[in-house]
């Protein structure tokens, strides 16, 4: 272009991240002139952000596809993680607001969907007009309101499918979405970080 290019995220503030050109068109088609389609995102989650401001204490600002475990093995030292609390009123990284990546549909988190018993005050919400999203295929046929993030039972596939699934369910106008949390290790930490910021309630 011969001049600087500024490239912010291709989604509106705090909404579900796009992982395809179609998502960008749905969310921002009225305010952008061109969309370059490079195919679906390989990882499905925003990048890992690591601060090396302090050589003695590296700090993971945002969980992402490059896991904390991989970074600690590479650096040969432990890494501390940053909370969502702003430092002097400023977030040190994108994606640290307590409410972020949120679908328009109310999102609830559970640990094991197949065994989950909804509390009395949410029982109707869980049963009527609700989409249920499993990490992996359950040991029975799926109902019409049930969806699976990874048929291969692979957390990397879960990460790649996550935002696409939320985009599709949002467009289908369910009354609520109930989604399983990932194991809290490896890329599961990044998946759960996104889900915890997108959900209205964590019942795990």
């Amino acid at each position: 272009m011969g001049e600087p290019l500024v490239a912010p995220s291709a989604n509106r503030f705090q909404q579900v991240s796009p992982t395809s050109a179609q998502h960008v068109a749905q969310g921002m088609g009225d305010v952008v002139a061109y969309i370059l389609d490079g195919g679906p995102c390989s990882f499905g989650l925003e990048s890992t952000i690591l601060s090396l401001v302090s050589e003695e204490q590296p700090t993971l600002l945002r969980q992402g596809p490059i896991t904390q475990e991989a970074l600690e093995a590479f650096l040969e030292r432990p890494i501390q993680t940053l909370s969502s609390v702003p430092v002097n009123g400023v977030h040190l990284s994108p994606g640290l607001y307590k409410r972020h990546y949120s679908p328009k549909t109310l999102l609830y988190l559970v640990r094991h969907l197949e065994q989950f018993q909804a509390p009395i005050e949410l029982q109707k919400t869980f049963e009527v007009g609700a989409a249920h999203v499993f990490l992996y295929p359950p040991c029975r046929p799926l109902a019409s309101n049930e969806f699976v993030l990874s048929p291969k039972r692979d957390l990397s596939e879960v990460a790649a499918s996550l935002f696409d699934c939320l985009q599709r369910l949002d467009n289908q106008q369910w009354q609520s979405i109930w989604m399983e949390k990932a194991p809290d290790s490896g890329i599961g930490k990044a998946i759960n970080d996104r889900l915890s910021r997108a959900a209205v309630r964590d019942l795990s």
Side-chain angles (χ1 to χ4, degrees), residues 68-204:
Q68 180 176 347
E69 292 87 345
L71 289 168
E72 288 178 335
F74 179 79
L75 295 173
E76 298 181 341
R77 67 181 69 184
I79 296 173
Q80 71 176 2
T81 56
L82 185 72
S83 71
S84 294
V85 179
V87 177
N88 296 324
V90 177
H91 287 286
L92 299 181
S93 165
L96 292 184
Y97 285 85
K98 289 184 178 180
R99 189 89 169 120
H100 213 100
Y101 313 109
S102 303
K104 295 183 288 291
T105 309
L106 296 177
L107 174 65
Y108 296 88
L109 303 183
V110 304
R111 182 58 67 180
H112 300 292
L113 193 53
E114 205 163 1
Q115 291 85 37
F116 179 70
Q117 296 291 325
I120 294 175
E121 72 273 14
L122 290 174
Q123 199 161 358
K124 185 176 180 181
T125 303
F126 180 71
E127 294 173 354
V128 180
H132 296 174
V133 184
F134 294 85
L135 293 179
Y136 308 136
C139 300
R140 56 171 174 74
L142 291 174
S144 59
N145 69 323
E146 295 179 333
F147 307 87
V148 174
L149 291 174
S150 175
K152 299 177 183 176
R153 307 184 70 84
D154 178 358
L155 272 185
S156 294
E157 186 177 33
V158 170
S161 305
L162 177 63
F163 286 136
D164 179 69
C165 178
L166 289 177
Q167 295 269 8
R168 285 188 291 106
L169 295 179
D170 240 2
N171 292 336
Q172 292 171 11
Q173 298 181 329
W174 295 91
Q175 293 181 31
S176 63
I177 301 169
W178 294 73
M179 184 173 287
E180 284 186 326
K181 292 178 70 174
D184 204 28
S185 62
I187 199 169
K189 291 180 182 178
I191 294 169
N192 289 339
D193 173 75
R194 304 308 189 273
L195 287 175
S196 67
R197 299 175 195 279
V200 294
R201 190 166 172 185
D202 186 342
L203 296 155
S204 55

Side-chain angles (χ1 to χ4, degrees), residues 52-69:
L52 296 173
V53 171
S54 168
E55 293 184 13
E56 292 74 27
Q57 186 57 74
T59 302
L60 190 59
L61 301 182
R62 182 172 70 183
Q63 301 275 359
I66 301 175
T67 66
Q68 180 176 347
E69 292 87 345

Side-chain angles (χ1 to χ4, degrees), residues 12-29:
R12 297 181 187 274
F13 181 58
Q14 294 186 326
Q15 293 185 1
V16 179
S17 296
T19 57
S20 70
Q22 181 183 2
H23 297 162
V24 177
Q26 289 174 352
M28 299 189 68

